[in-house]
Amino acid sequence: MKVLIVVTHLLGTGHLARALTLARAFQAAGHSVTLASGGMPAPQLLRGDVPLLQLPPVRSDGVNFAVLLDEKGAPADDTLLHARTDALLDHLRGDPPDVLITELFPFGRRILRAEFTALLEAAHVLQHPPLICASIRDILAPPSKPAKAALADDLIAAFYDAVLVHAVGTVTPLDLSWPVSPALAAKLHYTGFVAPPAPAPHPDRLGAGEIIVSAGGGDVGAELFACSRAAAAMDPKRVWRVLLGGSDAAARARAMQAEVPANLIVEPARPDFRQMLHHAAASVSLCGYNTALDILQTGCRAVFVPFDAGSEVEQGIRADALARLPGISVLRNAALNPARLLTALQDVQVAPLRPPMQDGFDGAARSVEIVSALLEARP
C-alpha cells in the first residue's frame, strides 16, 4: 500500500521524529511511504531513507502557537500558506495514497486547520478515497475550551476512520489529557509507544560518567542550559555535556563553548545521543515524548525539567507519571537553580538501578498492523 504521512513540527522536533519512525515501520513492512513535512528542516533526523515532501516551512513564534513564522522569521503570509496547501493537494492527486495519516491534527495544529481540511476534503472525493487516520502521542495539550474538543470530534466524525494513540492504554490513557467522547472512543486504537529500536550501548562508551543535558532538536531550553552551565561550575570533578538543538546549533555551540567551565562540553545534538545514555551518570532534559522513551529504553537516571512555558502542561503530566519509577526526578522551571539541580542529580544517583524497559515500544510496527487490518476490512 501507499502511505502519505503529513506532519508539521512548530517548536521542537518530536512530532517529526515520531512520524519518521512510523514511516520507517511502514517501509520495513514493504509499503511505500511519503512524509510531507511542514516544519523547519531538521537534518539531524534524516537519513535519506524516507521520501520527503518538504513544504514551505513554518514555525511558531516561540510558545505562541497562534502565530506562524517563515524560515526567515517573518510572519507567514497567505502566499506561503497557499503554496503549502497546493503542494499537498498536488501530491495527493498526482500520487493518490491508500492511507492518509495526519500527525496531531485535529487534536492540535488548529492554526493549520484550513490546510488540513483542504487535504481531507480532497482525499474524500478521490476516485478511491484513502483510509484516513490521525496519529497522536500519549499526552495531548488539554483543550482550553470545550469548543476545541468539539471541533476535533466533528472532524473525526466527518473524515477519519481511526485514531492511532501511540501509548499503552493502561499507562497513559488518552483521557488523562483529553475528553474522550463515546464517538471518539469507538475510533481509538492504542498502538503502544512509537520508538525506534532500543539503542545499543555506544561502541566507544562515549558519555561514560557524564551528565548529559539536552532539550530535543528545537530552539528551546535556554534556561536549562544556563542553569546547567552554572551547576557544572559547582561540580568540577565531573564532565557535563550540553547538546543544543535548532538550525543554528553549531554556531550557538561555538559561541557558548568559549564561556563555559573546563568540565563542560557544548555541541550540537548528535545522532548517537541515545547510545550515550547507556553510559551517562544521568540525563538532564525536558520531558518530551521521544526523550521520555529514550530514558525508559536505556534505564538512564534522569532529572526531568518539563517544558511549561506559556500554557504548556503536556510534559509536566508525563514527567509526574514517570517520576514514580526509581532514578527519575522532576524539577519544575519555577524551582530551577544550580543548587537544586545538583540536589536532584544526587537523589537520582543514589536511587536503585532501573533496568531498561523492553515491552510496549513496538507502537510503530503495531500501527502498521492496525492500519493494514483496517484497510483490508474496508468494503
Side-chain angles (χ1 to χ4, degrees):
M1 62 184 168
K2 289 191 294 185
V3 182
L4 174 61
I5 302 175
V6 183
V7 57
T8 291
H9 60 284
L10 293 179
L11 187 59
T13 57
H15 295 277
L16 178 59
R18 188 163 50 253
L20 282 165
T21 300
L22 194 59
R24 289 171 179 135
F26 276 102
Q27 286 184 324
H31 305 298
S32 172
V33 185
T34 298
L35 181 70
S37 176
M40 293 294 164
Q44 73 274 17
L45 297 181
L46 303 178
R47 306 175 194 159
D49 56 335
V50 176
L52 184 71
L53 172 63
Q54 176 64 60
L55 307 179
V58 294
R59 62 177 175 85
S60 63
D61 185 6
V63 296
N64 182 1
F65 295 101
V67 175
L68 293 178
L69 305 178
D70 66 17
E71 56 189 338
K72 295 181 179 179
D77 58 20
D78 288 344
T79 300
L80 182 147
L81 296 176
H82 289 319
R84 289 169 56 92
T85 301
D86 289 345
L88 281 172
L89 297 184
D90 287 347
H91 180 86
L92 178 82
R93 293 165 178 155
D95 190 18
D98 301 301
V99 177
L100 171 62
I101 298 175
T102 62
E103 201 279 334
L104 188 56
F105 189 83
F107 299 90
R109 299 293 179 264
R110 283 174 289 272
I111 194 169
L112 294 172
R113 177 182 172 185
E115 175 181 299
F116 277 106
T117 303
L119 178 67
L120 294 167
E121 290 174 343
H124 258 244
V125 297
L126 290 174
Q127 183 177 2
H128 300 289
L131 182 85
I132 300 179
C133 303
S135 167
I136 58 176
R137 63 186 178 231
D138 57 339
I139 306 293
L140 297 173
S144 58
K145 301 175 182 177
K148 293 182 178 180
L151 172 63
D153 272 2
D154 290 345
L155 289 168
I156 292 294
F159 295 111
Y160 287 82
D161 298 287
V163 177
L164 306 175
V165 186
H166 301 310
V168 175
T170 56
V171 177
T172 51
L174 185 59
D175 57 13
L176 280 180
S177 58
W178 191 270
V180 178
S181 66
L184 175 58
K187 293 189 176 182
L188 297 184
H189 296 264
Y190 285 91
T191 69
F193 296 113
V194 169
H202 198 285
D204 300 323
R205 291 185 55 81
L206 194 63
E210 297 180 359
I211 305 299
I212 300 180
V213 184
S214 63
D219 292 311
V220 294
E223 296 84 359
L224 178 60
F225 295 144
C227 180
S228 297
R229 178 168 54 188
M234 299 165 61
D235 187 27
K237 294 184 178 180
R238 188 160 50 184
V239 174
W240 288 57
R241 187 186 298 262
V242 166
L243 302 178
L244 303 179
S247 57
D248 61 346
R252 287 164 50 221
R254 286 193 296 270
M256 192 172 167
Q257 186 68 64
E259 303 175 353
V260 301
N263 65 319
L264 178 59
I265 301 167
V266 184
E267 58 186 353
R270 46 190 302 152
D272 54 357
F273 160 70
R274 301 173 72 238
Q275 293 177 281
M276 294 166 65
L277 291 177
H278 279 288
H279 313 288
S283 164
V284 177
S285 71
L286 310 187
C287 195
Y289 182 91
N290 297 298
T291 301
L293 299 189
D294 292 342
I295 295 301
L296 294 177
Q297 285 184 298
T298 59
C300 184
R301 292 180 165 94
V303 175
F304 286 128
V305 185
F307 184 74
D308 58 6
S311 58
E312 293 291 302
V313 297
E314 166 230 331
Q315 292 199 10
I317 296 172
R318 181 181 297 113
D320 288 341
L322 296 182
R324 301 178 210 147
L325 300 173
I328 295 179
S329 179
V330 179
L331 183 59
R332 303 292 178 185
N333 277 285
L336 181 64
N337 64 43
R340 289 195 177 107
L341 177 55
L342 289 172
T343 297
L345 283 167
Q346 182 179 1
D347 290 344
V348 299
Q349 288 181 294
V350 299
L353 282 174
R354 186 184 71 258
M357 190 177 293
Q358 298 180 346
D359 296 329
F361 297 97
D362 59 347
R366 181 67 186 131
S367 295
V368 176
E369 295 172 358
I370 291 169
V371 168
S372 299
L374 289 171
L375 189 62
E376 186 175 341
R378 295 183 96 184

